[in-house]
């Protein structure tokens, strides 16, 4: 274990933990995971412990680019600052999303978005060298990769970080992204052209992802601790693997597996195979209903309620008074939904070029165009006509302009108030079984978590609902998850 912890300035002074041999690291991982799981259960008899993660923002209009404190989305120093801040706040993990193709708007690269970003696993391997405790989670697509390669890369990150790796498993039906992954001379590979194999009846992105993940776990389990690797023979619907895995069993056994999504299919996949599910944030009542539904699915997969952590993505705005916090939140929303972003949001719903419309004027009287390709690389609006009707009704009822309607209709900040009020509300959600923790999405890069760590974390600690020190060395230990049993 390292004898020093990283702070928000300077480089970690102790890197010995990351150089621990595989045998010692795995032994320690088993011991600390057992110890933390016991501590976690004992703590839960008094007060549930809140889990926190930090998301590095960028896509969509979350980040306020115009703020003078906003920094680069490319420079390593930005990622390092946010990761060090999260570690200073004793967060469970640092989370990176993934973009496999630049988003386009009207046939051109969308210049209101992040245009390019370093590859996530490469970044996390670099962050492993400047952090000592923080979990490191990357989103990697199961549609456009192969199980052996991804299993190898995450096992490597788990070794290099001393047991802190996590994989957010996603799959894509997006033909637009698939154009970056076509293989010459293989017209039969429509799964790579279209995001999934649409020629197979009943196929969904999740069926491929499920086999991808199970194959990766076969590979991780094929090398018993202290022995030589066993042969892997897998012949499935999507993948065929024969050979021996090239990386010894890593400190966590398996990296932590994350699933993002809130559909019934997403919840079932998480209940069967994930350690963490990332969901939307809503009211306390909606959170409790979601929590009960997801946790209730675990038993039929032979799992316990503590085997899956439910962590909605949230934003926080702090002020010295409630009124000041509300004022700051309103200003942030105005910055996030600029006039250009307001028209873009409208075009996503309407599927039309609406650049001639005044963002401070009324909504268009035109009907939406179904299945429009005006915007590429963004999540499709599920029911555009319904959404348009809802926006129109809101605009007419309150006399709102296009920009005001978008601000009112799209993502609001989740927790707004003084540090005391925010800490109390976060705690209420967890103690009421509406969440196990939260993924914080700051509006500034990279300093958007500084105030939260400085002013809210100490209050959560005073409540006895949040750790004052890390009690284990692996991400599984931070989350109170069991160490996987070898199934070779």
């Amino acid at each position: 274990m390292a004898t020093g912890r990283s702070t928000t300035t300077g480089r970690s002074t102790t890197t010995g933990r990351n150089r621990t041999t595989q045998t010692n690291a795995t032994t320690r991982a088993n011991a600390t995971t057992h110890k933390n799981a016991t501590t976690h259960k004992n703590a839960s008899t008094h007060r549930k412990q809140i889990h926190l993660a930090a998301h590095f923002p960028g896509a969509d209009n979350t980040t306020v680019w115009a703020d003078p404190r906003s920094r680069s989305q490319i420079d390593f120093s930005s990622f390092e600052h946010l990761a060090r801040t999260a570690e200073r706040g004793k967060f469970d993990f640092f989370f990176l999303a993934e973009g496999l193709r630049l988003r386009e708007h009207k046939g051109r690269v969308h210049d209101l978005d992040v245009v390019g970003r370093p590859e996530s696993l490469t970044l996390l391997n670099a962050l492993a060298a400047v952090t000592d405790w923080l979990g490191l989670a990357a989103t990697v697509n199961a549609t456009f990769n192969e199980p052996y390669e991804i299993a190898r890369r995450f096992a490597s990150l788990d070794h290099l970080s001393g047991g802190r790796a996590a994989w957010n498993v996603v799959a894509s039906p997006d033909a637009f992204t698939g154009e970056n992954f076509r293989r010459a001379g293989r017209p039969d590979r429509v799964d790579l052209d279209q995001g999934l194999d649409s020629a197979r009846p009943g196929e969904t992105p999740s069926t491929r992802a499920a086999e991808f993940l199970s194959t990766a776990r076969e590979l991780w389990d094929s090398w018993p601790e202290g022995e030589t690797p066993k042969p892997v023979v897998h012949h499935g619907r999507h993948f065929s693997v024969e050979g021996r895995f090239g990386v010894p069993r890593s400190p966590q056994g398996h990296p932590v597996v994350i699933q993002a999504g809130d559909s019934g299919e997403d919840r079932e996949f998480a209940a069967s195979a994930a350690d963490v599910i990332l969901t939307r944030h809503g009211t306390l009542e909606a959170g409790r209903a979601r929590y009960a539904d997801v946790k209730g699915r675990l038993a039929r997969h032979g799992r316990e309620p503590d085997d899956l952590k439910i962590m909605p993505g949230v934003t926080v705005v702090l002020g010295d008074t409630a009124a000041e916090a509300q004022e700051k939140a309103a200003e942030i929303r105005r910055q996030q939904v600029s006039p250009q972003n307001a028209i873009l949001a409208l075009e996503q719903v309407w599927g039309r070029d609406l650049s001639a419309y005044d963002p401070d004027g009324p909504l268009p009287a035109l009907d939406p165009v179904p299945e429009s390709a005006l915007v590429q690389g963004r999540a499709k609006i599920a029911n555009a006509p319904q959404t348009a009707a809802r926006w129109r009704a809101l605009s007419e009822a309150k006399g709102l302009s296009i920009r005001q309607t978008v601000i009112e209709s799209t993502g609001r900040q989740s927790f707004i108030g003084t540090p005391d009020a925010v800490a109390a509300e976060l705690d209420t959600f967890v103690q009421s079984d509406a969440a196990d923790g939260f993924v914080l999405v700051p509006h500034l890069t990279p300093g958007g978590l500084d105030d939260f760590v400085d002013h809210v974390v100490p209050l959560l600690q005073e409540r006895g609902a949040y750790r004052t020190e890390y009690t284990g060395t692996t991400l599984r230990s931070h989350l109170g998850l069991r160490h996987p049993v070898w199934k070779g």
Side-chain angles (χ1 to χ4, degrees), residues 56-58 61-75 77-78 114 117 335 442-448:
F56 191 95
N61 62 347
T62 301
T63 299
V64 177
W65 304 103
D67 193 297
R69 295 169 294 173
S70 186
R71 295 290 183 266
S72 172
Q73 295 275 332
I74 296 293
D75 290 349
S77 60
S78 293
V114 174
R117 176 183 281 177
Q335 290 177 307
H443 71 278
L444 284 179
T445 302

Side-chain angles (χ1 to χ4, degrees), residues 406-451:
V406 173
I407 289 173
E408 187 85 7
S409 302
T410 57
R412 294 167 170 269
Q413 292 89 353
S414 312
F415 297 97
I416 304 169
T418 64
D420 276 314
V422 168
E425 195 171 2
L426 290 169
D427 194 24
T428 296
F429 267 77
V430 172
Q431 305 309 325
S432 301
D433 287 342
D436 290 311
F438 307 93
V439 179
L440 271 67
V441 186
H443 71 278
L444 284 179
T445 302
L449 286 183
D450 293 358
D451 286 347

Side-chain angles (χ1 to χ4, degrees), residues 244-442:
R244 296 177 190 268
F245 193 47
V247 183
R249 191 164 178 84
S250 68
Q252 293 188 109
H254 299 171
V256 168
V257 171
I258 300 171
Q259 159 73 14
D262 216 15
S263 69
E265 186 178 28
D266 293 329
R267 294 180 184 189
E268 196 64 26
F269 182 79
S272 68
D275 301 304
V276 177
I277 181 171
L278 310 182
T279 68
R280 290 193 299 267
H281 175 73
T283 64
L284 181 65
E285 293 74 20
R288 294 185 68 181
R290 178 190 300 111
Y291 192 94
D293 176 72
V294 174
K295 296 283 186 174
R297 296 170 185 254
L298 290 162
R300 61 175 168 263
H301 298 286
R303 306 181 71 198
E304 299 293 330
D306 282 345
D307 290 340
L308 177 66
K309 307 303 178 186
I310 300 173
M311 300 181 67
V314 300
T315 54
V316 172
V317 179
L318 301 174
D320 291 336
T321 65
E324 180 186 311
Q326 289 291 344
E327 184 178 336
K328 286 172 65 176
E331 177 57 26
I332 290 168
R333 287 300 292 146
R334 285 192 291 270
Q335 290 177 307
Q336 290 173 325
V337 184
S338 65
Q340 299 96 321
N341 271 323
I343 295 298
L344 170 65
L346 202 69
E347 289 177 336
Q348 281 185 267
V349 175
W350 262 258
R352 296 174 177 271
D353 182 348
L354 301 174
S355 56
Y357 282 76
D358 181 358
D360 293 320
L363 271 66
L366 302 168
D367 290 328
V369 175
E371 303 300 322
S372 169
L374 188 74
V375 179
Q376 296 275 25
R378 288 177 176 269
K380 300 293 185 184
I381 303 297
N383 193 324
Q386 257 188 15
T387 301
R390 190 166 61 250
W391 285 19
R392 277 201 188 105
L394 176 66
S395 175
E396 291 169 4
K398 294 190 174 183
L400 303 179
S401 67
I402 289 173
R403 187 181 181 196
Q404 289 170 331
T405 301
V406 173
I407 289 173
E408 187 85 7
S409 302
T410 57
R412 294 167 170 269
Q413 292 89 353
S414 312
F415 297 97
I416 304 169
T418 64
D420 276 314
V422 168
E425 195 171 2
L426 290 169
D427 194 24
T428 296
F429 267 77
V430 172
Q431 305 309 325
S432 301
D433 287 342
D436 290 311
F438 307 93
V439 179
L440 271 67
V441 186

Side-chain angles (χ1 to χ4, degrees), residues 1-7 12-15 17 87 131-133:
M1 181 181 293
T3 56
R5 293 188 303 279
S6 301
T7 61
S12 174
T13 58
T14 306
T15 57
R17 187 171 70 84
E87 186 165 80
T131 56
D132 292 316
W133 310 92

Side-chain angles (χ1 to χ4, degrees), residues 33 198 218 291 488:
T33 301
S198 58
E218 287 180 52
Y291 192 94

